[in-house]
mmCIF file with all atom_site columns, all heavy atoms in Angstrom:
data_model
loop_
_atom_site.group_PDB
_atom_site.id
_atom_site.type_symbol
_atom_site.label_atom_id
_atom_site.label_alt_id
_atom_site.label_comp_id
_atom_site.label_asym_id
_atom_site.label_entity_id
_atom_site.label_seq_id
_atom_site.pdbx_PDB_ins_code
_atom_site.Cartn_x
_atom_site.Cartn_y
_atom_site.Cartn_z
_atom_site.occupancy
_atom_site.B_iso_or_equiv
_atom_site.pdbx_formal_charge
_atom_site.auth_seq_id
_atom_site.auth_comp_id
_atom_site.auth_asym_id
_atom_site.auth_atom_id
_atom_site.pdbx_PDB_model_num
ATOM 1   N N   . LEU D 1 88  ? 123.748 98.239  194.181 1.00 0.00 ? 110 LEU D N   1
ATOM 2   C CA  . LEU D 1 88  ? 123.450 98.468  192.802 1.00 0.00 ? 110 LEU D CA  1
ATOM 3   C C   . LEU D 1 88  ? 122.875 99.908  192.628 1.00 0.00 ? 110 LEU D C   1
ATOM 4   O O   . LEU D 1 88  ? 121.952 100.231 193.339 1.00 0.00 ? 110 LEU D O   1
ATOM 5   C CB  . LEU D 1 88  ? 122.455 97.370  192.257 1.00 0.00 ? 110 LEU D CB  1
ATOM 6   C CG  . LEU D 1 88  ? 122.075 97.494  190.787 1.00 0.00 ? 110 LEU D CG  1
ATOM 7   C CD1 . LEU D 1 88  ? 121.739 96.074  190.241 1.00 0.00 ? 110 LEU D CD1 1
ATOM 8   C CD2 . LEU D 1 88  ? 120.918 98.434  190.556 1.00 0.00 ? 110 LEU D CD2 1
ATOM 9   N N   . MET D 1 89  ? 123.388 100.650 191.681 1.00 0.00 ? 111 MET D N   1
ATOM 10  C CA  . MET D 1 89  ? 122.867 101.940 191.356 1.00 0.00 ? 111 MET D CA  1
ATOM 11  C C   . MET D 1 89  ? 122.432 101.939 189.877 1.00 0.00 ? 111 MET D C   1
ATOM 12  O O   . MET D 1 89  ? 123.286 101.531 189.048 1.00 0.00 ? 111 MET D O   1
ATOM 13  C CB  . MET D 1 89  ? 123.972 103.051 191.581 1.00 0.00 ? 111 MET D CB  1
ATOM 14  C CG  . MET D 1 89  ? 123.494 104.426 191.284 1.00 0.00 ? 111 MET D CG  1
ATOM 15  S SD  . MET D 1 89  ? 122.460 105.109 192.605 1.00 0.00 ? 111 MET D SD  1
ATOM 16  C CE  . MET D 1 89  ? 121.698 106.505 191.756 1.00 0.00 ? 111 MET D CE  1
ATOM 17  N N   . ARG D 1 90  ? 121.220 102.418 189.635 1.00 0.00 ? 112 ARG D N   1
ATOM 18  C CA  . ARG D 1 90  ? 120.760 102.422 188.280 1.00 0.00 ? 112 ARG D CA  1
ATOM 19  C C   . ARG D 1 90  ? 120.536 103.788 187.688 1.00 0.00 ? 112 ARG D C   1
ATOM 20  O O   . ARG D 1 90  ? 120.180 104.716 188.390 1.00 0.00 ? 112 ARG D O   1
ATOM 21  C CB  . ARG D 1 90  ? 119.420 101.694 188.311 1.00 0.00 ? 112 ARG D CB  1
ATOM 22  C CG  . ARG D 1 90  ? 118.634 101.806 187.013 1.00 0.00 ? 112 ARG D CG  1
ATOM 23  C CD  . ARG D 1 90  ? 117.755 103.055 187.034 1.00 0.00 ? 112 ARG D CD  1
ATOM 24  N NE  . ARG D 1 90  ? 116.539 102.906 186.363 1.00 0.00 ? 112 ARG D NE  1
ATOM 25  C CZ  . ARG D 1 90  ? 115.589 103.796 186.410 1.00 0.00 ? 112 ARG D CZ  1
ATOM 26  N NH1 . ARG D 1 90  ? 115.687 104.956 187.007 1.00 0.00 ? 112 ARG D NH1 1
ATOM 27  N NH2 . ARG D 1 90  ? 114.476 103.589 185.748 1.00 0.00 ? 112 ARG D NH2 1
ATOM 28  N N   . ALA D 1 91  ? 121.010 103.973 186.393 1.00 0.00 ? 113 ALA D N   1
ATOM 29  C CA  . ALA D 1 91  ? 120.639 105.217 185.701 1.00 0.00 ? 113 ALA D CA  1
ATOM 30  C C   . ALA D 1 91  ? 119.881 104.807 184.452 1.00 0.00 ? 113 ALA D C   1
ATOM 31  O O   . ALA D 1 91  ? 120.184 103.786 183.844 1.00 0.00 ? 113 ALA D O   1
ATOM 32  C CB  . ALA D 1 91  ? 121.903 105.953 185.291 1.00 0.00 ? 113 ALA D CB  1
ATOM 33  N N   . ALA D 1 185 ? 119.284 98.265  196.189 1.00 0.00 ? 207 ALA D N   1
ATOM 34  C CA  . ALA D 1 185 ? 119.368 98.909  194.905 1.00 0.00 ? 207 ALA D CA  1
ATOM 35  C C   . ALA D 1 185 ? 119.008 100.368 195.023 1.00 0.00 ? 207 ALA D C   1
ATOM 36  O O   . ALA D 1 185 ? 118.037 100.615 195.841 1.00 0.00 ? 207 ALA D O   1
ATOM 37  C CB  . ALA D 1 185 ? 118.418 98.186  193.896 1.00 0.00 ? 207 ALA D CB  1
ATOM 38  N N   . LEU D 1 186 ? 119.591 101.205 194.268 1.00 0.00 ? 208 LEU D N   1
ATOM 39  C CA  . LEU D 1 186 ? 119.340 102.674 194.390 1.00 0.00 ? 208 LEU D CA  1
ATOM 40  C C   . LEU D 1 186 ? 119.079 103.289 193.007 1.00 0.00 ? 208 LEU D C   1
ATOM 41  O O   . LEU D 1 186 ? 119.503 102.766 191.955 1.00 0.00 ? 208 LEU D O   1
ATOM 42  C CB  . LEU D 1 186 ? 120.643 103.332 194.980 1.00 0.00 ? 208 LEU D CB  1
ATOM 43  C CG  . LEU D 1 186 ? 121.166 102.803 196.266 1.00 0.00 ? 208 LEU D CG  1
ATOM 44  C CD1 . LEU D 1 186 ? 122.434 103.489 196.636 1.00 0.00 ? 208 LEU D CD1 1
ATOM 45  C CD2 . LEU D 1 186 ? 120.170 102.921 197.415 1.00 0.00 ? 208 LEU D CD2 1
ATOM 46  N N   . ALA D 1 187 ? 118.352 104.377 193.001 1.00 0.00 ? 209 ALA D N   1
ATOM 47  C CA  . ALA D 1 187 ? 118.062 105.206 191.785 1.00 0.00 ? 209 ALA D CA  1
ATOM 48  C C   . ALA D 1 187 ? 117.717 106.586 192.189 1.00 0.00 ? 209 ALA D C   1
ATOM 49  O O   . ALA D 1 187 ? 117.277 106.840 193.226 1.00 0.00 ? 209 ALA D O   1
ATOM 50  C CB  . ALA D 1 187 ? 117.012 104.544 190.893 1.00 0.00 ? 209 ALA D CB  1
ATOM 51  N N   . GLN D 1 188 ? 117.973 107.524 191.230 1.00 0.00 ? 210 GLN D N   1
ATOM 52  C CA  . GLN D 1 188 ? 117.593 108.885 191.527 1.00 0.00 ? 210 GLN D CA  1
ATOM 53  C C   . GLN D 1 188 ? 117.054 109.521 190.322 1.00 0.00 ? 210 GLN D C   1
ATOM 54  O O   . GLN D 1 188 ? 117.168 109.003 189.193 1.00 0.00 ? 210 GLN D O   1
ATOM 55  C CB  . GLN D 1 188 ? 118.879 109.666 192.002 1.00 0.00 ? 210 GLN D CB  1
ATOM 56  C CG  . GLN D 1 188 ? 119.879 109.751 190.941 1.00 0.00 ? 210 GLN D CG  1
ATOM 57  C CD  . GLN D 1 188 ? 121.180 110.494 191.398 1.00 0.00 ? 210 GLN D CD  1
ATOM 58  O OE1 . GLN D 1 188 ? 121.212 110.890 192.653 1.00 0.00 ? 210 GLN D OE1 1
ATOM 59  N NE2 . GLN D 1 188 ? 122.180 110.601 190.621 1.00 0.00 ? 210 GLN D NE2 1
ATOM 60  N N   . HIS D 1 189 ? 116.370 110.648 190.481 1.00 0.00 ? 211 HIS D N   1
ATOM 61  C CA  . HIS D 1 189 ? 115.761 111.398 189.394 1.00 0.00 ? 211 HIS D CA  1
ATOM 62  C C   . HIS D 1 189 ? 115.980 112.918 189.571 1.00 0.00 ? 211 HIS D C   1
ATOM 63  O O   . HIS D 1 189 ? 115.734 113.395 190.708 1.00 0.00 ? 211 HIS D O   1
ATOM 64  C CB  . HIS D 1 189 ? 114.315 111.055 189.146 1.00 0.00 ? 211 HIS D CB  1
ATOM 65  C CG  . HIS D 1 189 ? 113.877 111.212 187.754 1.00 0.00 ? 211 HIS D CG  1
ATOM 66  N ND1 . HIS D 1 189 ? 113.870 112.394 187.080 1.00 0.00 ? 211 HIS D ND1 1
ATOM 67  C CD2 . HIS D 1 189 ? 113.484 110.270 186.859 1.00 0.00 ? 211 HIS D CD2 1
ATOM 68  C CE1 . HIS D 1 189 ? 113.511 112.196 185.819 1.00 0.00 ? 211 HIS D CE1 1
ATOM 69  N NE2 . HIS D 1 189 ? 113.263 110.900 185.633 1.00 0.00 ? 211 HIS D NE2 1
ATOM 70  N N   . PHE D 1 205 ? 106.636 106.363 197.123 1.00 0.00 ? 227 PHE D N   1
ATOM 71  C CA  . PHE D 1 205 ? 107.164 107.617 196.717 1.00 0.00 ? 227 PHE D CA  1
ATOM 72  C C   . PHE D 1 205 ? 106.611 108.037 195.366 1.00 0.00 ? 227 PHE D C   1
ATOM 73  O O   . PHE D 1 205 ? 106.105 109.114 195.184 1.00 0.00 ? 227 PHE D O   1
ATOM 74  C CB  . PHE D 1 205 ? 108.676 107.531 196.699 1.00 0.00 ? 227 PHE D CB  1
ATOM 75  C CG  . PHE D 1 205 ? 109.409 108.713 196.255 1.00 0.00 ? 227 PHE D CG  1
ATOM 76  C CD1 . PHE D 1 205 ? 108.845 110.026 196.491 1.00 0.00 ? 227 PHE D CD1 1
ATOM 77  C CD2 . PHE D 1 205 ? 110.626 108.639 195.555 1.00 0.00 ? 227 PHE D CD2 1
ATOM 78  C CE1 . PHE D 1 205 ? 109.597 111.120 196.024 1.00 0.00 ? 227 PHE D CE1 1
ATOM 79  C CE2 . PHE D 1 205 ? 111.287 109.759 195.132 1.00 0.00 ? 227 PHE D CE2 1
ATOM 80  C CZ  . PHE D 1 205 ? 110.766 111.033 195.340 1.00 0.00 ? 227 PHE D CZ  1
ATOM 81  N N   . ASN D 1 328 ? 109.723 102.930 198.744 1.00 0.00 ? 350 ASN D N   1
ATOM 82  C CA  . ASN D 1 328 ? 111.021 102.852 199.353 1.00 0.00 ? 350 ASN D CA  1
ATOM 83  C C   . ASN D 1 328 ? 111.049 101.976 200.634 1.00 0.00 ? 350 ASN D C   1
ATOM 84  O O   . ASN D 1 328 ? 110.174 102.165 201.516 1.00 0.00 ? 350 ASN D O   1
ATOM 85  C CB  . ASN D 1 328 ? 111.485 104.248 199.645 1.00 0.00 ? 350 ASN D CB  1
ATOM 86  C CG  . ASN D 1 328 ? 112.016 104.986 198.440 1.00 0.00 ? 350 ASN D CG  1
ATOM 87  O OD1 . ASN D 1 328 ? 112.446 104.296 197.470 1.00 0.00 ? 350 ASN D OD1 1
ATOM 88  N ND2 . ASN D 1 328 ? 112.107 106.297 198.449 1.00 0.00 ? 350 ASN D ND2 1
ATOM 89  N N   . GLU D 1 358 ? 107.601 105.176 187.674 1.00 0.00 ? 380 GLU D N   1
ATOM 90  C CA  . GLU D 1 358 ? 108.900 104.620 187.267 1.00 0.00 ? 380 GLU D CA  1
ATOM 91  C C   . GLU D 1 358 ? 108.844 103.136 187.096 1.00 0.00 ? 380 GLU D C   1
ATOM 92  O O   . GLU D 1 358 ? 108.071 102.457 187.805 1.00 0.00 ? 380 GLU D O   1
ATOM 93  C CB  . GLU D 1 358 ? 109.877 104.904 188.407 1.00 0.00 ? 380 GLU D CB  1
ATOM 94  C CG  . GLU D 1 358 ? 110.925 106.008 188.223 1.00 0.00 ? 380 GLU D CG  1
ATOM 95  C CD  . GLU D 1 358 ? 112.105 105.531 187.338 1.00 0.00 ? 380 GLU D CD  1
ATOM 96  O OE1 . GLU D 1 358 ? 112.143 104.442 186.949 1.00 0.00 ? 380 GLU D OE1 1
ATOM 97  O OE2 . GLU D 1 358 ? 112.976 106.415 187.122 1.00 0.00 ? 380 GLU D OE2 1
ATOM 98  N N   . PHE D 1 360 ? 111.870 101.457 187.536 1.00 0.00 ? 382 PHE D N   1
ATOM 99  C CA  . PHE D 1 360 ? 113.060 101.009 188.180 1.00 0.00 ? 382 PHE D CA  1
ATOM 100 C C   . PHE D 1 360 ? 112.882 99.809  189.123 1.00 0.00 ? 382 PHE D C   1
ATOM 101 O O   . PHE D 1 360 ? 113.660 98.831  189.145 1.00 0.00 ? 382 PHE D O   1
ATOM 102 C CB  . PHE D 1 360 ? 113.606 102.220 188.953 1.00 0.00 ? 382 PHE D CB  1
ATOM 103 C CG  . PHE D 1 360 ? 114.540 101.809 190.124 1.00 0.00 ? 382 PHE D CG  1
ATOM 104 C CD1 . PHE D 1 360 ? 115.740 101.111 189.982 1.00 0.00 ? 382 PHE D CD1 1
ATOM 105 C CD2 . PHE D 1 360 ? 114.159 102.145 191.445 1.00 0.00 ? 382 PHE D CD2 1
ATOM 106 C CE1 . PHE D 1 360 ? 116.585 100.804 191.048 1.00 0.00 ? 382 PHE D CE1 1
ATOM 107 C CE2 . PHE D 1 360 ? 114.942 101.743 192.530 1.00 0.00 ? 382 PHE D CE2 1
ATOM 108 C CZ  . PHE D 1 360 ? 116.157 101.072 192.346 1.00 0.00 ? 382 PHE D CZ  1
ATOM 109 N N   . SER D 1 361 ? 111.750 99.839  189.888 1.00 0.00 ? 383 SER D N   1
ATOM 110 C CA  . SER D 1 361 ? 111.606 98.859  190.986 1.00 0.00 ? 383 SER D CA  1
ATOM 111 C C   . SER D 1 361 ? 111.465 97.436  190.496 1.00 0.00 ? 383 SER D C   1
ATOM 112 O O   . SER D 1 361 ? 111.601 96.499  191.273 1.00 0.00 ? 383 SER D O   1
ATOM 113 C CB  . SER D 1 361 ? 110.504 99.228  191.916 1.00 0.00 ? 383 SER D CB  1
ATOM 114 O OG  . SER D 1 361 ? 109.236 99.165  191.155 1.00 0.00 ? 383 SER D OG  1
ATOM 115 N N   . TYR D 1 371 ? 115.003 98.644  198.037 1.00 0.00 ? 393 TYR D N   1
ATOM 116 C CA  . TYR D 1 371 ? 115.503 99.688  197.237 1.00 0.00 ? 393 TYR D CA  1
ATOM 117 C C   . TYR D 1 371 ? 115.071 101.041 197.802 1.00 0.00 ? 393 TYR D C   1
ATOM 118 O O   . TYR D 1 371 ? 114.168 101.206 198.645 1.00 0.00 ? 393 TYR D O   1
ATOM 119 C CB  . TYR D 1 371 ? 114.990 99.610  195.817 1.00 0.00 ? 393 TYR D CB  1
ATOM 120 C CG  . TYR D 1 371 ? 113.450 99.643  195.666 1.00 0.00 ? 393 TYR D CG  1
ATOM 121 C CD1 . TYR D 1 371 ? 112.798 100.817 195.466 1.00 0.00 ? 393 TYR D CD1 1
ATOM 122 C CD2 . TYR D 1 371 ? 112.751 98.484  195.642 1.00 0.00 ? 393 TYR D CD2 1
ATOM 123 C CE1 . TYR D 1 371 ? 111.459 100.898 195.380 1.00 0.00 ? 393 TYR D CE1 1
ATOM 124 C CE2 . TYR D 1 371 ? 111.400 98.456  195.532 1.00 0.00 ? 393 TYR D CE2 1
ATOM 125 C CZ  . TYR D 1 371 ? 110.688 99.695  195.448 1.00 0.00 ? 393 TYR D CZ  1
ATOM 126 O OH  . TYR D 1 371 ? 109.335 99.687  195.273 1.00 0.00 ? 393 TYR D OH  1
ATOM 127 N N   . VAL D 1 372 ? 115.851 102.101 197.329 1.00 0.00 ? 394 VAL D N   1
ATOM 128 C CA  . VAL D 1 372 ? 115.578 103.463 197.655 1.00 0.00 ? 394 VAL D CA  1
ATOM 129 C C   . VAL D 1 372 ? 115.704 104.318 196.409 1.00 0.00 ? 394 VAL D C   1
ATOM 130 O O   . VAL D 1 372 ? 116.660 104.168 195.599 1.00 0.00 ? 394 VAL D O   1
ATOM 131 C CB  . VAL D 1 372 ? 116.584 104.037 198.730 1.00 0.00 ? 394 VAL D CB  1
ATOM 132 C CG1 . VAL D 1 372 ? 116.172 105.427 199.138 1.00 0.00 ? 394 VAL D CG1 1
ATOM 133 C CG2 . VAL D 1 372 ? 116.674 103.079 199.905 1.00 0.00 ? 394 VAL D CG2 1
ATOM 134 N N   . TYR D 1 373 ? 114.720 105.148 196.214 1.00 0.00 ? 395 TYR D N   1
ATOM 135 C CA  . TYR D 1 373 ? 114.644 106.091 195.023 1.00 0.00 ? 395 TYR D CA  1
ATOM 136 C C   . TYR D 1 373 ? 114.543 107.447 195.627 1.00 0.00 ? 395 TYR D C   1
ATOM 137 O O   . TYR D 1 373 ? 113.751 107.714 196.546 1.00 0.00 ? 395 TYR D O   1
ATOM 138 C CB  . TYR D 1 373 ? 113.461 105.685 194.213 1.00 0.00 ? 395 TYR D CB  1
ATOM 139 C CG  . TYR D 1 373 ? 113.340 106.398 192.920 1.00 0.00 ? 395 TYR D CG  1
ATOM 140 C CD1 . TYR D 1 373 ? 113.755 105.755 191.746 1.00 0.00 ? 395 TYR D CD1 1
ATOM 141 C CD2 . TYR D 1 373 ? 112.695 107.582 192.752 1.00 0.00 ? 395 TYR D CD2 1
ATOM 142 C CE1 . TYR D 1 373 ? 113.676 106.355 190.513 1.00 0.00 ? 395 TYR D CE1 1
ATOM 143 C CE2 . TYR D 1 373 ? 112.645 108.218 191.524 1.00 0.00 ? 395 TYR D CE2 1
ATOM 144 C CZ  . TYR D 1 373 ? 113.095 107.604 190.428 1.00 0.00 ? 395 TYR D CZ  1
ATOM 145 O OH  . TYR D 1 373 ? 113.002 108.183 189.150 1.00 0.00 ? 395 TYR D OH  1
ATOM 146 N N   . TRP D 1 374 ? 115.239 108.430 195.044 1.00 0.00 ? 396 TRP D N   1
ATOM 147 C CA  . TRP D 1 374 ? 115.239 109.820 195.616 1.00 0.00 ? 396 TRP D CA  1
ATOM 148 C C   . TRP D 1 374 ? 115.218 110.813 194.455 1.00 0.00 ? 396 TRP D C   1
ATOM 149 O O   . TRP D 1 374 ? 115.483 110.468 193.343 1.00 0.00 ? 396 TRP D O   1
ATOM 150 C CB  . TRP D 1 374 ? 116.311 110.035 196.634 1.00 0.00 ? 396 TRP D CB  1
ATOM 151 C CG  . TRP D 1 374 ? 117.680 109.957 196.053 1.00 0.00 ? 396 TRP D CG  1
ATOM 152 C CD1 . TRP D 1 374 ? 118.343 110.986 195.377 1.00 0.00 ? 396 TRP D CD1 1
ATOM 153 C CD2 . TRP D 1 374 ? 118.539 108.903 196.083 1.00 0.00 ? 396 TRP D CD2 1
ATOM 154 N NE1 . TRP D 1 374 ? 119.621 110.544 194.991 1.00 0.00 ? 396 TRP D NE1 1
ATOM 155 C CE2 . TRP D 1 374 ? 119.764 109.310 195.496 1.00 0.00 ? 396 TRP D CE2 1
ATOM 156 C CE3 . TRP D 1 374 ? 118.555 107.557 196.611 1.00 0.00 ? 396 TRP D CE3 1
ATOM 157 C CZ2 . TRP D 1 374 ? 120.889 108.440 195.338 1.00 0.00 ? 396 TRP D CZ2 1
ATOM 158 C CZ3 . TRP D 1 374 ? 119.585 106.762 196.557 1.00 0.00 ? 396 TRP D CZ3 1
ATOM 159 C CH2 . TRP D 1 374 ? 120.776 107.129 195.873 1.00 0.00 ? 396 TRP D CH2 1
ATOM 160 N N   . GLY D 1 375 ? 115.079 112.086 194.849 1.00 0.00 ? 397 GLY D N   1
ATOM 161 C CA  . GLY D 1 375 ? 115.099 113.132 193.865 1.00 0.00 ? 397 GLY D CA  1
ATOM 162 C C   . GLY D 1 375 ? 116.227 114.108 194.154 1.00 0.00 ? 397 GLY D C   1
ATOM 163 O O   . GLY D 1 375 ? 116.590 114.339 195.323 1.00 0.00 ? 397 GLY D O   1
#
Side-chain angles (χ1 to χ4, degrees):
Chain D
L110 181 152
M111 179 79 197
R112 169 274 213 172
L208 308 174
Q210 66 182 357
H211 209 295
F227 178 32
N350 281 338
E380 252 281 0
F382 155 66
S383 66
Y393 60 87
V394 186
Y395 189 96
W396 65 82

